[in-house]
Amino acid sequence: MDALILLGSFFVLMIIGTPVAYALGIAALIGAWWIDIPLDAVMIAISSGVNKFSLLAIPFFVLAGAIMAEGGMARRLVAFANVLVGFIRGGLSLVNILASTFFGAISGSSMADTASVGAVLIPEMEKKGYPREFATAVTVSGSVQAILIPPSHNAVIYSLAAGGSVSIAALFLAGVLPGLMLGMTLATMCLVIARRKNYPKGDVIPLRQALKICADALWGLMTMVIILGGILTGVFTATESASIAVLWAFGVTMFVYRDYKWHELPKLVHRTVKTLAIVMILIAFAASFGYIMTLMQIPLKITTMFTTLSDNRYVILMMINVLLLALGTLMDMAPLILILTPILLPVVTSLGVDPVHFGMIMMVNLGMGLITPPVGGVLFVGSAIAKLPMETVVKALLPFYVALFAVLMAVTYLPAISLWLPQTVLAR
């Protein structure tokens, strides 16, 4: 009955249109009242939820990504990717995927990736003879890499939702190989489609111009080196790397590229603060919701339910995949990570699944939800940039869903894809 009161009130509030963050907070208050817990305890849980040093990584990474997205970084990364693969048949689709790989490794945000890369490449691909819906499908599916490749904001949120027991550095490293596998799978599919439909080849860029483009993009690419290199060498923590990334992004944008105007900076910071306010409210209220769930022993009950249905790890992982895929189409990624991690993590760890590995399983699942109707935020952004109905883009995405599902199965059932790099590097 306790679970019905807590979860039922949350879903009722969602159905009547209450924002997710407030639905979590109100449901936590209703749950506390039901089990006769002082409301002061809920307030303390809300405060404790955001009083964590590791959370500082989120605002810094978001700000760094915003500075680079609006400061000409995306355009330079697209040009750099074009030098590397643009001359192949269907090369612009590969440029799109590769640019998403580079930009995702800087911004950590699928929406920023789609908005920045899509604004440059969707019109360009259409001008070169690619169908606009195909260009949009490539853009939105490629942006899922940003969820996996470090620095991923959602990896930080998962670490928080796991109670801080999972290292952010381990999660960052764990996302590298799945992210690259995702990019390579999508690129292979683009090559097959391009050959079958005879999409155009690009021109080989002259050496002098190519060198200039590479030198121009190097400043942005150094961000990846600074973030990961600093963490791996122990020069600074994952949280500290975020603040270093902001300083580097600001310096490159304002003093090297100089495409961004000083008077526009306050507006950029204002937009970033608005975004972060929403995220932090969500994290705070999710903490109180998780606190009440723990008091009600809901994670333990769900663990018992799953293990009653089957004691086979692979069967339960498939059931969890189906659950995550279904919920990912209905809710945004961050609230689902905050809600489901405390529930599902005890289930999988009781079966011997590594928490870092499970984090990658969640990321791929919920990343697919971002490009799936009816509530796919990245899908909406891509459709808006391309000025296409969502139904048209979804139809073009069908083969890409198959590719993403194949990557999901590989990440789920081959733990070494996620665990080899963190175990190798962090064990030193």
Side-chain angles (χ1 to χ4, degrees):
M1 189 63 181
D2 291 347
L4 181 63
I5 294 295
L6 181 67
L7 300 177
S9 59
F10 170 70
F11 285 115
V12 167
L13 288 163
M14 288 282 292
I15 290 168
I16 63 176
T18 308
V20 176
Y22 298 120
L24 287 169
I26 295 169
L29 290 172
I30 293 171
W33 168 78
W34 176 257
I35 61 175
D36 199 26
I37 295 295
L39 298 186
D40 290 355
V42 179
M43 299 301 113
I44 292 171
I46 290 172
S47 175
S48 300
V50 290
N51 188 24
K52 292 180 171 63
F53 177 74
S54 59
L55 275 180
L56 287 173
I58 296 177
F60 283 125
F61 278 134
V62 170
L63 180 57
I67 292 172
M68 292 181 171
E70 298 188 25
M73 182 69 65
R75 177 169 52 79
R76 288 171 171 85
L77 291 175
V78 167
F80 176 62
N82 192 41
V83 169
L84 299 179
V85 295
F87 57 90
I88 303 170
R89 182 171 301 282
L92 270 185
S93 60
L94 300 186
V95 169
N96 198 320
I97 300 293
L98 190 57
S100 289
T101 306
F102 291 144
F103 194 75
I106 293 170
S107 72
S109 166
S110 289
M111 285 199 182
D113 189 325
T114 298
S116 301
V117 175
V120 176
L121 274 177
I122 291 176
E124 182 66 18
M125 288 179 71
E126 186 180 19
K127 188 168 75 175
K128 296 293 184 182
Y130 296 80
R132 193 191 309 180
E133 58 271 21
F134 173 75
T136 310
V138 172
T139 303
V140 298
S141 60
S143 70
V144 177
Q145 294 174 93
I147 293 165
L148 299 168
I149 296 174
S152 168
H153 312 151
N154 292 291
V156 179
I157 294 174
Y158 172 78
S159 174
L160 169 74
S165 59
V166 185
S167 161
I168 295 175
L171 289 168
F172 278 5
L173 289 170
V176 173
L177 291 182
L180 294 177
M181 175 187 288
L182 176 60
M184 291 174 64
T185 305
L186 294 175
T188 303
M189 174 163 286
C190 287
L191 285 173
V192 171
I193 294 172
R195 183 172 292 277
R196 194 173 71 233
K197 298 194 175 182
N198 199 33
Y199 288 153
K201 290 183 179 180
D203 299 322
V204 176
I205 297 174
L207 180 60
R208 185 186 294 272
Q209 185 182 349
L211 290 174
K212 184 177 183 301
I213 290 170
C214 293
D216 208 23
L218 186 62
W219 293 97
L221 294 172
M222 279 297 296
T223 311
M224 296 183 284
V225 177
I226 290 170
I227 292 171
L228 274 181
I231 294 171
L232 297 182
T233 57
V235 175
F236 38 73
T237 66
T239 304
E240 291 164 349
S241 73
S243 59
I244 301 295
V246 171
L247 293 175
W248 180 263
F250 179 79
V252 170
T253 299
M254 304 309 295
F255 299 107
V256 178
Y257 292 156
R258 292 183 289 184
D259 287 350
Y260 204 70
K261 303 293 186 291
W262 285 90
H263 67 84
E264 294 175 335
L265 273 176
K267 293 179 182 178
L268 182 147
V269 173
H270 180 254
R271 287 193 298 272
T272 304
V273 169
K274 283 177 65 176
T275 301
L276 290 170
I278 296 169
V279 173
M280 299 308 282
I281 290 171
L282 176 61
I283 290 172
F285 286 149
S288 66
F289 189 82
Y291 171 69
I292 299 300
M293 278 200 305
T294 303
L295 292 180
M296 292 180 172
Q297 296 187 318
I298 292 175
L300 178 60
K301 292 172 184 174
I302 292 178
T303 300
T304 305
M305 181 194 74
F306 270 108
T307 52
T308 302
L309 292 172
S310 174
D311 59 357
N312 187 308
R313 171 169 60 180
Y314 302 108
V315 172
I316 291 180
L317 283 175
M318 180 55 74
M319 292 165 58
I320 289 174
N321 275 331
V322 172
L323 174 67
L324 291 173
L325 286 171
L327 291 175
T329 66
L330 301 174
M331 284 180 64
D332 201 10
M333 188 170 186
L336 279 175
I337 292 174
L338 290 165
I339 295 168
L340 295 177
T341 300
I343 295 174
L344 297 177
L345 192 57
V347 176
V348 296
T349 52
S350 69
L351 298 168
V353 177
D354 190 284
V356 173
H357 175 212
F358 184 63
M360 293 305 106
I361 295 173
M362 285 195 79
M363 297 297 164
V364 180
N365 268 298
L366 301 181
M368 290 177 68
L370 292 177
I371 63 171
T372 308
V375 191
V378 173
L379 179 61
F380 291 152
V381 172
S383 299
I385 291 171
K387 298 182 174 63
L388 285 173
M390 190 171 66
E391 297 81 3
T392 304
V393 179
V394 169
K395 186 177 179 181
L397 272 168
L398 291 177
F400 294 92
Y401 290 138
V402 175
L404 287 166
F405 186 76
V407 173
L408 172 61
M409 291 297 98
V411 170
T412 300
Y413 294 115
L414 298 172
I417 297 172
S418 303
L419 298 178
W420 177 77
L421 196 56
Q423 288 176 348
T424 302
V425 174
L426 297 180
R428 292 176 182 175

